[in-house]
């Protein structure tokens, strides 16, 4: 991991861009973090729109986390931002766009083609990033995963034992096979749902919440569309991590 | 209103029993409350099991509210505790018990007979209690309603303008006419649902949440049965009131 830029934000949070195996990422650490007092880490999930596009929302979430004493990090998703596209993913995005424009249902085949390769590629990259981030003296774990793509969060929750709690955003299409995989999740969950998410099926999100195997899981559903998560809901999610990462 | 007992709890909360028109009630005020610094009030809803039975849970909720600087009060429901029963309510309870023992669905007629007379009697009594409580110099408003019976909360939210926010517990049978009434609720809501509530239909609770007319409403669903609301969910509800009553 190589840091490529560093700036101190006005609330004392240290924001550093890095690259790891050619993949860009951003790390935010609270002013309190040091080798003597290492802090827990929240990995920030995000939709595949590219880190530059996502930056304002990611930075806001990172600073909310830092205010609670947590580091936060985001890594660019495969096929997003400046990273190379691959043909099958482009095809799946085009198929989704066409299906939505036609107003019909989105077929299982499109959802699978869109999400499963992303999960298969993003999850090992996230785990590699965890190796590098947890090797920093100021970051001590445990680790939480926060946000979407929710299928990435599901897979990480199943395979990555360093992740002890997940705050998931039920705002993306979920392949049926990932709903089955959700039954194997056992870590505490805090699931955000936007009740009137224009691009997301509410009943599918409720079924997914029901499927999770965790003994502690909370569904926090709020009014508004996909990008309208109220700030108090973000604050409640931070409270969830405060309970489980401290 | 006449106070009949008074004790100072170890966290400084003042607990006073009172009677009002022959109806028993309990008022908890934080140590900070005074005529110079009057505090908001949370009316604590509760199932019709009688205040003595409900006391431990009510006192715990009141002390959580007091820790945030709020007074809290509960009044005995009609037909509960030491208050006189009435024949139709006893009949409805017996019909419900029989229907549940038979394992069949509970008919709309039973739900209506069980809940609607309770709403019609409890709501004006609660409003009278509000008159008396808000006349105390140490209580200043605004007022929140917290808990169940959820149909009582729905009616209060519609008819009582002093109630500016409600934290409702979706854990009791709701007459269809009350679901319709819920569309007229516009105050901010925080709705608790126990995902595996043994005596409550989950889909009916989701439909009720959908029906509420409020622009700000949160559904917080947690694992466990009717009485298993996790303490963090109670704390999130207090955070909701902190946003709306301060």
């Amino acid at each position: 991991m190589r840091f490529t830029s560093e700036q101190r934000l006005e609330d004392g949070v240290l924001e550093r861009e890095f690259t790891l195996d050619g993949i860009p990422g951003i790390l935010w650490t609270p002013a309190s973090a040091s080798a003597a007092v290492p802090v827990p880490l929240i990995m920030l999930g995000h939709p595949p729109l590219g880190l530059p596009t996502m930056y304002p929302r990611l930075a806001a979430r990172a600073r909310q986390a830092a205010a609670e004493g947590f580091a936060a990090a985001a890594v660019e998703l495969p096929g997003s931002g400046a990273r190379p596209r691959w043909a099958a993913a482009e095809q799946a995005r085009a198929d989704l766009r066409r299906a939505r424009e036609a107003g019909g249902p989105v077929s299982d085949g499109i959802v699978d083609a869109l999400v499963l390769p992303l999960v298969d590629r993003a999850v090992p990259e996230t785990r590699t990033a965890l190796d590098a981030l947890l090797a920093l003296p100021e970051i001590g774990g445990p680790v939480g995963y926060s946000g979407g793509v929710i299928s990435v969060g599901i897979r990480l929750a199943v395979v990555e034992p360093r992740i002890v709690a997940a705050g998931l955003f039920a705002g993306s299409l979920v392949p049926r096979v990932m709903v089955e995989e959700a039954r194997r999740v056992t870590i505490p969950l805090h699931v955000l749902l936007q009740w009137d998410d224009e691009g997301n099926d509410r009943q599918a999100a409720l079924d997914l919440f029901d499927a999770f195997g965790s003994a502690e899981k909370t569904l926090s559903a709020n009014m508004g569309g996909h990008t309208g998560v109220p700030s108090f809901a973000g604050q409640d999610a931070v409270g969830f991590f405060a309970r489980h990462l401290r």
Side-chain angles (χ1 to χ4, degrees), chain A:
Chain A
M1 187 169 60
R2 187 166 59 81
F3 288 109
T4 56
S5 81
E6 170 174 328
Q7 64 167 322
R8 183 74 66 175
L9 308 180
E10 69 264 36
D11 46 9
V13 174
L14 183 64
E15 176 182 289
R16 285 175 283 180
E17 295 180 294
F18 61 84
T19 62
L20 177 67
D21 303 336
I23 302 170
I26 315 175
L27 171 64
W28 294 267
T29 43
S32 65
S34 71
V37 189
V39 293
L41 173 66
I42 297 177
M43 289 301 294
L44 301 178
H46 49 92
L49 302 174
L51 283 187
T53 301
M54 287 304 301
Y55 174 81
R57 279 184 272 169
L58 290 169
R61 289 161 59 197
R63 293 164 82 164
Q64 237 177 355
E68 292 290 322
F70 303 135
V75 289
E76 188 63 273
L77 285 167
S80 289
R83 298 189 62 189
R85 306 320 192 230
W86 68 94
E90 294 297 290
Q91 184 62 49
R93 286 192 202 204
D95 290 346
L96 174 67
R97 210 161 36 237
R98 252 194 310 277
R100 289 223 157 119
E101 279 163 13
V106 179
S107 73
D108 285 355
I110 293 177
V111 176
D112 288 356
L114 196 71
V115 177
L116 295 180
L118 186 66
V119 171
D120 288 341
R121 294 174 186 225
V123 166
E125 290 181 1
T126 305
R127 302 186 73 185
T128 301
L130 273 186
D131 295 340
L133 292 164
L134 290 172
L136 296 172
E138 66 272 29
I139 297 181
V143 180
Y145 179 86
S146 169
V149 177
I150 194 167
S151 292
V152 173
I154 293 168
R155 173 71 53 81
L156 280 168
V158 170
V159 303
E160 176 49 71
R162 291 174 292 189
I163 294 179
V164 301
L168 301 173
F169 181 49
S172 54
L173 297 162
V174 178
R176 284 176 199 273
V177 65
M178 293 307 301
V179 177
E180 288 311 305
E181 197 162 323
R183 299 186 197 284
R184 293 165 52 204
V185 174
T186 58
I187 59 173
L189 299 178
H190 184 89
V191 180
L192 287 180
L193 170 66
Q194 287 296 95
W195 199 247
D196 297 311
D197 193 329
E198 56 281 9
N200 194 30
D201 183 77
R202 186 195 298 163
Q203 190 57 52
L206 294 170
D207 291 345
L208 174 62
F209 177 73
D210 193 49
F212 283 117
S214 307
E216 183 192 325
K217 54 180 176 179
T218 298
L219 176 72
S220 176
N222 290 284
M223 288 308 95
H226 187 78
T227 58
V229 177
S231 66
F232 62 79
Q235 201 51 53
D236 284 355
V238 170
F240 164 79
F241 284 117
R243 288 203 311 280
H244 291 288
L245 300 185
R246 276 212 191 103

